[in-house]
């Protein structure tokens, strides 16, 4: 991508599939805008994950996404895995 940054502004619903005292499983579908070198197009990011409680006020999130993005008249699909520290 020629060394430039991509920016995504996405939002959407998250559905909790099941929760326990220590974890919460979820699926989500985020949709919005992909911005690449001042050109905007669309992005959809379906995904799933689990939040594992670390303390009463924080959790570690393990998440997998499958971004589908439109840019420069092409549609690209990919997959990514990420680990987050979330706070309540």
């Amino acid at each position: 991508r020629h060394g430039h940054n991509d920016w995504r502004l996405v939002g959407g619903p998250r559905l909790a599939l099941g929760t326990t005292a220590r974890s919460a499983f979820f699926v989500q579908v985020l949709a919005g805008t992909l911005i690449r070198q001042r050109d905007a197009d669309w992005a959809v990011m379906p995904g799933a994950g689990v939040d594992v409680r670390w303390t009463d006020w924080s959790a570690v999130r393990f998440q997998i996404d499958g971004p589908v993005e439109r840019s420069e008249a092409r549609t690209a699909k990919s997959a990514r895995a990420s680990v987050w520290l979330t706070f309540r």
Side-chain angles (χ1 to χ4, degrees):
R1 298 193 204 167
H2 310 294
H4 60 273
N5 291 325
D6 295 342
W7 296 87
R8 290 163 191 84
L9 179 61
V10 294
R14 174 177 290 160
L15 175 64
L17 296 178
T19 60
T20 67
R22 298 218 12 101
S23 63
F25 298 92
F26 64 88
V27 295
Q28 64 186 17
V29 177
L30 306 178
T33 300
L34 166 70
I35 301 170
R36 179 172 288 157
Q37 284 195 2
R38 292 181 274 161
D39 295 327
D41 223 318
W42 59 265
V44 178
M45 296 177 61
V50 60
D51 289 340
V52 179
R53 184 176 295 187
W54 189 20
T55 67
D56 287 340
W57 48 270
S58 66
V60 177
R61 175 173 291 163
F62 300 93
Q63 184 172 328
I64 297 173
D65 296 309
V68 180
E69 301 167 332
R70 181 81 176 165
S71 178
E72 300 172 357
R74 294 186 311 230
T75 302
K77 299 175 187 174
S78 62
R80 73 176 188 182
S82 56
V83 177
W84 303 77
L85 181 59
T86 62
F87 300 95
R88 296 181 194 207

